[in-house]
Each structure stands twice: as structure tokens, then as C-alpha cells.
Amino acid sequence: MPHDEVLDLLKWHIERYDRLRVSTASRASVVLSAGAILSAGNALLLTQLLSDMTDWMTAWWLLAFTVMALLDAALVVASLVKAANVLVTPRRSRAMLPSGADLPRSLVFNGTDTVAHVKTFDDFRTAVESQSRPEVRRAAEVELWVGIQQHRHRYGRLRESVRLLRLAAIVFVAVLAVVMLVNAAHGF
């Protein structure tokens, strides 16, 4: 395959993984919003437990409900932390990826590499103009590999976040159902 076609294909894949990264960040935002709603529900539930029901509820029941509500809150927080890690990687790619430290520089294609190694606009212009076709292709290959690895890392975190949020929702609904049944039984 001619060099220009390979470079065009690499650029297409880089753009594709950029779109996937944006899509993953959008999904993480939805998880963050759902977590906020579930947190508000937990706060309301805890307020209900700790105010209206303490008059007749035994200490054991109150403790059980409170522990379940706190467990639910902990699951929501864990989900939010995982979702937040989807939005921004916690470390630089070279530190987080296998053999990332051994990656060649990807000037122009990778903003972190460019800012770390090129200090002025004139240096930047010189770097752009002095790159040979094989160097440009290599930089694009590095950027594509980093993009693929970052996407997989972020998508894995997003899946973990969604699992935790689902579990939190199940716990919340279970506690809410029991509270409603107990309230109905006591005429509230």
C-alpha cells in the first residue's frame, strides 16, 4: 500500500478513536447524572429513616436500614469515581500503558509529546517541516496505538462504573420497598 494511503488510513483510525473517546465520555456523563439522582434518593431515604421512623423502629431495624442505605451510597460513590476516571485518564499514557515508556515520540499527532519536547512556535514549525514521511507515519502509528489503548482502558472503567451503579440501584429499590411496606404497616 502506498505511503500516502497508509497515512490516510492511520488518520482515519485516529479520528475514529477520537470519536469513540468522546462517545465514552458522553456515556460516563450519563452515569454521573444517574449517580447524582440515586444519591439524592439515598439522602431522602436516609432522612426518612432517621426522622419519621425512629419513634417506633427498633435499634436493630434502624441499624439495618442505615447500613443498607450507606452501602448504597458507597456503591454510588464508587461508580462515580470510576465514571470520573473515564473523563480524564488518571496518569499520562506513557505511565499507564504497557511499554508506554518505550514508545517513540509522536510529535504533532500527540499533544503531550509536542508540548513536552517543543517549546516555541519556531521549534514547532521546524519539527513539522523536518519530519520525513516515515517519521510522520511512525508518529501516527504511535498515536493510534495510544488511542486504542486509552479507549479500551476508559471503556473498561465505564463498564465497571455501570455495574456498580446497577447494584446501587437494586439496593436502593430494595431498601425503598421495605421502607414503604413498613410505613404502610404502621399507617404512615
Side-chain angles (χ1 to χ4, degrees), residues 160-181:
E160 292 169 8
S161 177
V162 169
R163 281 188 204 112
L164 289 168
L165 192 63
R166 283 180 182 158
L167 185 56
I170 290 168
V171 171
F172 175 78
V173 168
V175 172
L176 181 63
V178 172
V179 167
M180 290 177 71
L181 288 173

PDB file of all heavy atoms in Angstrom, residues 160-181:
ATOM      1  N   GLU A 160     -17.265  -0.984  34.503  1.00  0.00           N
ATOM      2  CA  GLU A 160     -17.221  -1.183  35.955  1.00  0.00           C
ATOM      3  C   GLU A 160     -18.148  -0.202  36.659  1.00  0.00           C
ATOM      4  O   GLU A 160     -18.864  -0.569  37.596  1.00  0.00           O
ATOM      5  CB  GLU A 160     -15.795  -1.006  36.475  1.00  0.00           C
ATOM      6  CG  GLU A 160     -14.828  -2.076  36.024  1.00  0.00           C
ATOM      7  CD  GLU A 160     -13.384  -1.725  36.343  1.00  0.00           C
ATOM      8  OE1 GLU A 160     -13.128  -0.730  37.053  1.00  0.00           O
ATOM      9  OE2 GLU A 160     -12.486  -2.462  35.875  1.00  0.00           O
ATOM     10  N   SER A 161     -18.147   1.039  36.202  1.00  0.00           N
ATOM     11  CA  SER A 161     -18.996   2.072  36.789  1.00  0.00           C
ATOM     12  C   SER A 161     -20.471   1.723  36.639  1.00  0.00           C
ATOM     13  O   SER A 161     -21.256   1.855  37.589  1.00  0.00           O
ATOM     14  CB  SER A 161     -18.701   3.422  36.127  1.00  0.00           C
ATOM     15  OG  SER A 161     -19.555   4.412  36.618  1.00  0.00           O
ATOM     16  N   VAL A 162     -20.851   1.266  35.467  1.00  0.00           N
ATOM     17  CA  VAL A 162     -22.251   0.907  35.221  1.00  0.00           C
ATOM     18  C   VAL A 162     -22.651  -0.292  36.080  1.00  0.00           C
ATOM     19  O   VAL A 162     -23.755  -0.314  36.647  1.00  0.00           O
ATOM     20  CB  VAL A 162     -22.490   0.637  33.715  1.00  0.00           C
ATOM     21  CG1 VAL A 162     -23.851   0.018  33.476  1.00  0.00           C
ATOM     22  CG2 VAL A 162     -22.338   1.926  32.924  1.00  0.00           C
ATOM     23  N   ARG A 163     -21.787  -1.272  36.223  1.00  0.00           N
ATOM     24  CA  ARG A 163     -22.092  -2.427  37.088  1.00  0.00           C
ATOM     25  C   ARG A 163     -22.353  -1.977  38.525  1.00  0.00           C
ATOM     26  O   ARG A 163     -23.308  -2.423  39.163  1.00  0.00           O
ATOM     27  CB  ARG A 163     -20.939  -3.430  37.065  1.00  0.00           C
ATOM     28  CG  ARG A 163     -20.908  -4.305  35.861  1.00  0.00           C
ATOM     29  CD  ARG A 163     -19.855  -5.411  36.003  1.00  0.00           C
ATOM     30  NE  ARG A 163     -19.467  -5.837  34.695  1.00  0.00           N
ATOM     31  CZ  ARG A 163     -18.276  -5.638  34.134  1.00  0.00           C
ATOM     32  NH1 ARG A 163     -17.322  -5.045  34.804  1.00  0.00           N
ATOM     33  NH2 ARG A 163     -18.020  -6.047  32.920  1.00  0.00           N
ATOM     34  N   LEU A 164     -21.498  -1.114  39.036  1.00  0.00           N
ATOM     35  CA  LEU A 164     -21.671  -0.611  40.399  1.00  0.00           C
ATOM     36  C   LEU A 164     -22.963   0.185  40.533  1.00  0.00           C
ATOM     37  O   LEU A 164     -23.681   0.065  41.531  1.00  0.00           O
ATOM     38  CB  LEU A 164     -20.474   0.244  40.816  1.00  0.00           C
ATOM     39  CG  LEU A 164     -19.166  -0.508  41.063  1.00  0.00           C
ATOM     40  CD1 LEU A 164     -18.001   0.476  41.169  1.00  0.00           C
ATOM     41  CD2 LEU A 164     -19.277  -1.364  42.315  1.00  0.00           C
ATOM     42  N   LEU A 165     -23.266   0.999  39.538  1.00  0.00           N
ATOM     43  CA  LEU A 165     -24.491   1.803  39.584  1.00  0.00           C
ATOM     44  C   LEU A 165     -25.727   0.901  39.538  1.00  0.00           C
ATOM     45  O   LEU A 165     -26.709   1.165  40.231  1.00  0.00           O
ATOM     46  CB  LEU A 165     -24.507   2.805  38.443  1.00  0.00           C
ATOM     47  CG  LEU A 165     -25.591   3.879  38.542  1.00  0.00           C
ATOM     48  CD1 LEU A 165     -25.383   4.740  39.787  1.00  0.00           C
ATOM     49  CD2 LEU A 165     -25.594   4.743  37.303  1.00  0.00           C
ATOM     50  N   ARG A 166     -25.685  -0.139  38.728  1.00  0.00           N
ATOM     51  CA  ARG A 166     -26.812  -1.095  38.691  1.00  0.00           C
ATOM     52  C   ARG A 166     -27.018  -1.743  40.052  1.00  0.00           C
ATOM     53  O   ARG A 166     -28.150  -1.869  40.525  1.00  0.00           O
ATOM     54  CB  ARG A 166     -26.554  -2.181  37.643  1.00  0.00           C
ATOM     55  CG  ARG A 166     -26.768  -1.751  36.237  1.00  0.00           C
ATOM     56  CD  ARG A 166     -26.493  -2.888  35.291  1.00  0.00           C
ATOM     57  NE  ARG A 166     -26.642  -2.479  33.922  1.00  0.00           N
ATOM     58  CZ  ARG A 166     -26.083  -3.090  32.903  1.00  0.00           C
ATOM     59  NH1 ARG A 166     -25.330  -4.149  33.096  1.00  0.00           N
ATOM     60  NH2 ARG A 166     -26.275  -2.655  31.685  1.00  0.00           N
ATOM     61  N   LEU A 167     -25.935  -2.167  40.673  1.00  0.00           N
ATOM     62  CA  LEU A 167     -26.030  -2.780  42.003  1.00  0.00           C
ATOM     63  C   LEU A 167     -26.580  -1.769  43.004  1.00  0.00           C
ATOM     64  O   LEU A 167     -27.443  -2.110  43.825  1.00  0.00           O
ATOM     65  CB  LEU A 167     -24.657  -3.303  42.437  1.00  0.00           C
ATOM     66  CG  LEU A 167     -24.596  -4.064  43.748  1.00  0.00           C
ATOM     67  CD1 LEU A 167     -25.558  -5.248  43.752  1.00  0.00           C
ATOM     68  CD2 LEU A 167     -23.176  -4.541  44.006  1.00  0.00           C
ATOM     69  N   ALA A 168     -26.118  -0.528  42.929  1.00  0.00           N
ATOM     70  CA  ALA A 168     -26.623   0.517  43.826  1.00  0.00           C
ATOM     71  C   ALA A 168     -28.120   0.735  43.613  1.00  0.00           C
ATOM     72  O   ALA A 168     -28.871   0.909  44.589  1.00  0.00           O
ATOM     73  CB  ALA A 168     -25.858   1.823  43.599  1.00  0.00           C
ATOM     74  N   ALA A 169     -28.564   0.704  42.378  1.00  0.00           N
ATOM     75  CA  ALA A 169     -29.995   0.886  42.093  1.00  0.00           C
ATOM     76  C   ALA A 169     -30.815  -0.259  42.666  1.00  0.00           C
ATOM     77  O   ALA A 169     -31.896  -0.036  43.226  1.00  0.00           O
ATOM     78  CB  ALA A 169     -30.217   1.012  40.584  1.00  0.00           C
ATOM     79  N   ILE A 170     -30.309  -1.472  42.576  1.00  0.00           N
ATOM     80  CA  ILE A 170     -31.014  -2.632  43.123  1.00  0.00           C
ATOM     81  C   ILE A 170     -31.118  -2.514  44.645  1.00  0.00           C
ATOM     82  O   ILE A 170     -32.190  -2.733  45.220  1.00  0.00           O
ATOM     83  CB  ILE A 170     -30.314  -3.949  42.708  1.00  0.00           C
ATOM     84  CG1 ILE A 170     -30.507  -4.177  41.211  1.00  0.00           C
ATOM     85  CG2 ILE A 170     -30.833  -5.134  43.520  1.00  0.00           C
ATOM     86  CD1 ILE A 170     -29.627  -5.269  40.621  1.00  0.00           C
ATOM     87  N   VAL A 171     -30.021  -2.153  45.293  1.00  0.00           N
ATOM     88  CA  VAL A 171     -30.031  -1.985  46.753  1.00  0.00           C
ATOM     89  C   VAL A 171     -31.004  -0.869  47.133  1.00  0.00           C
ATOM     90  O   VAL A 171     -31.801  -1.010  48.068  1.00  0.00           O
ATOM     91  CB  VAL A 171     -28.613  -1.701  47.292  1.00  0.00           C
ATOM     92  CG1 VAL A 171     -28.653  -1.309  48.754  1.00  0.00           C
ATOM     93  CG2 VAL A 171     -27.714  -2.917  47.089  1.00  0.00           C
ATOM     94  N   PHE A 172     -30.962   0.242  46.403  1.00  0.00           N
ATOM     95  CA  PHE A 172     -31.852   1.365  46.692  1.00  0.00           C
ATOM     96  C   PHE A 172     -33.317   0.943  46.596  1.00  0.00           C
ATOM     97  O   PHE A 172     -34.125   1.236  47.483  1.00  0.00           O
ATOM     98  CB  PHE A 172     -31.568   2.531  45.742  1.00  0.00           C
ATOM     99  CG  PHE A 172     -32.521   3.673  45.917  1.00  0.00           C
ATOM    100  CD1 PHE A 172     -32.367   4.552  46.975  1.00  0.00           C
ATOM    101  CD2 PHE A 172     -33.575   3.862  45.033  1.00  0.00           C
ATOM    102  CE1 PHE A 172     -33.249   5.608  47.154  1.00  0.00           C
ATOM    103  CE2 PHE A 172     -34.453   4.908  45.202  1.00  0.00           C
ATOM    104  CZ  PHE A 172     -34.295   5.795  46.261  1.00  0.00           C
ATOM    105  N   VAL A 173     -33.680   0.273  45.520  1.00  0.00           N
ATOM    106  CA  VAL A 173     -35.074  -0.149  45.324  1.00  0.00           C
ATOM    107  C   VAL A 173     -35.486  -1.128  46.425  1.00  0.00           C
ATOM    108  O   VAL A 173     -36.606  -1.044  46.950  1.00  0.00           O
ATOM    109  CB  VAL A 173     -35.282  -0.745  43.916  1.00  0.00           C
ATOM    110  CG1 VAL A 173     -36.620  -1.436  43.793  1.00  0.00           C
ATOM    111  CG2 VAL A 173     -35.147   0.345  42.866  1.00  0.00           C
ATOM    112  N   ALA A 174     -34.595  -2.021  46.808  1.00  0.00           N
ATOM    113  CA  ALA A 174     -34.916  -2.972  47.875  1.00  0.00           C
ATOM    114  C   ALA A 174     -35.162  -2.243  49.199  1.00  0.00           C
ATOM    115  O   ALA A 174     -36.159  -2.510  49.891  1.00  0.00           O
ATOM    116  CB  ALA A 174     -33.783  -3.991  48.030  1.00  0.00           C
ATOM    117  N   VAL A 175     -34.300  -1.334  49.561  1.00  0.00           N
ATOM    118  CA  VAL A 175     -34.472  -0.585  50.813  1.00  0.00           C
ATOM    119  C   VAL A 175     -35.734   0.270  50.737  1.00  0.00           C
ATOM    120  O   VAL A 175     -36.519   0.319  51.690  1.00  0.00           O
ATOM    121  CB  VAL A 175     -33.224   0.286  51.114  1.00  0.00           C
ATOM    122  CG1 VAL A 175     -33.473   1.212  52.295  1.00  0.00           C
ATOM    123  CG2 VAL A 175     -32.018  -0.595  51.385  1.00  0.00           C
ATOM    124  N   LEU A 176     -35.944   0.921  49.610  1.00  0.00           N
ATOM    125  CA  LEU A 176     -37.132   1.756  49.436  1.00  0.00           C
ATOM    126  C   LEU A 176     -38.407   0.925  49.572  1.00  0.00           C
ATOM    127  O   LEU A 176     -39.362   1.344  50.246  1.00  0.00           O
ATOM    128  CB  LEU A 176     -37.092   2.446  48.077  1.00  0.00           C
ATOM    129  CG  LEU A 176     -38.257   3.371  47.750  1.00  0.00           C
ATOM    130  CD1 LEU A 176     -38.295   4.546  48.720  1.00  0.00           C
ATOM    131  CD2 LEU A 176     -38.149   3.867  46.312  1.00  0.00           C
ATOM    132  N   ALA A 177     -38.419  -0.249  48.973  1.00  0.00           N
ATOM    133  CA  ALA A 177     -39.604  -1.113  49.055  1.00  0.00           C
ATOM    134  C   ALA A 177     -39.880  -1.523  50.497  1.00  0.00           C
ATOM    135  O   ALA A 177     -41.036  -1.488  50.952  1.00  0.00           O
ATOM    136  CB  ALA A 177     -39.409  -2.344  48.170  1.00  0.00           C
ATOM    137  N   VAL A 178     -38.852  -1.897  51.218  1.00  0.00           N
ATOM    138  CA  VAL A 178     -39.045  -2.309  52.616  1.00  0.00           C
ATOM    139  C   VAL A 178     -39.523  -1.118  53.450  1.00  0.00           C
ATOM    140  O   VAL A 178     -40.435  -1.254  54.276  1.00  0.00           O
ATOM    141  CB  VAL A 178     -37.752  -2.932  53.200  1.00  0.00           C
ATOM    142  CG1 VAL A 178     -37.891  -3.176  54.691  1.00  0.00           C
ATOM    143  CG2 VAL A 178     -37.431  -4.229  52.472  1.00  0.00           C
ATOM    144  N   VAL A 179     -38.939   0.046  53.236  1.00  0.00           N
ATOM    145  CA  VAL A 179     -39.366   1.242  53.975  1.00  0.00           C
ATOM    146  C   VAL A 179     -40.834   1.547  53.680  1.00  0.00           C
ATOM    147  O   VAL A 179     -41.613   1.852  54.592  1.00  0.00           O
ATOM    148  CB  VAL A 179     -38.471   2.454  53.631  1.00  0.00           C
ATOM    149  CG1 VAL A 179     -39.068   3.757  54.121  1.00  0.00           C
ATOM    150  CG2 VAL A 179     -37.086   2.265  54.227  1.00  0.00           C
ATOM    151  N   MET A 180     -41.227   1.454  52.419  1.00  0.00           N
ATOM    152  CA  MET A 180     -42.627   1.726  52.068  1.00  0.00           C
ATOM    153  C   MET A 180     -43.565   0.700  52.692  1.00  0.00           C
ATOM    154  O   MET A 180     -44.636   1.056  53.188  1.00  0.00           O
ATOM    155  CB  MET A 180     -42.781   1.765  50.549  1.00  0.00           C
ATOM    156  CG  MET A 180     -42.108   2.987  49.935  1.00  0.00           C
ATOM    157  SD  MET A 180     -42.184   3.016  48.141  1.00  0.00           S
ATOM    158  CE  MET A 180     -43.911   3.340  47.899  1.00  0.00           C
ATOM    159  N   LEU A 181     -43.164  -0.565  52.681  1.00  0.00           N
ATOM    160  CA  LEU A 181     -44.007  -1.608  53.295  1.00  0.00           C
ATOM    161  C   LEU A 181     -44.128  -1.390  54.803  1.00  0.00           C
ATOM    162  O   LEU A 181     -45.215  -1.508  55.366  1.00  0.00           O
ATOM    163  CB  LEU A 181     -43.413  -2.988  53.008  1.00  0.00           C
ATOM    164  CG  LEU A 181     -43.554  -3.486  51.559  1.00  0.00           C
ATOM    165  CD1 LEU A 181     -42.773  -4.782  51.370  1.00  0.00           C
ATOM    166  CD2 LEU A 181     -45.026  -3.679  51.213  1.00  0.00           C
TER     167      LEU A 181
END
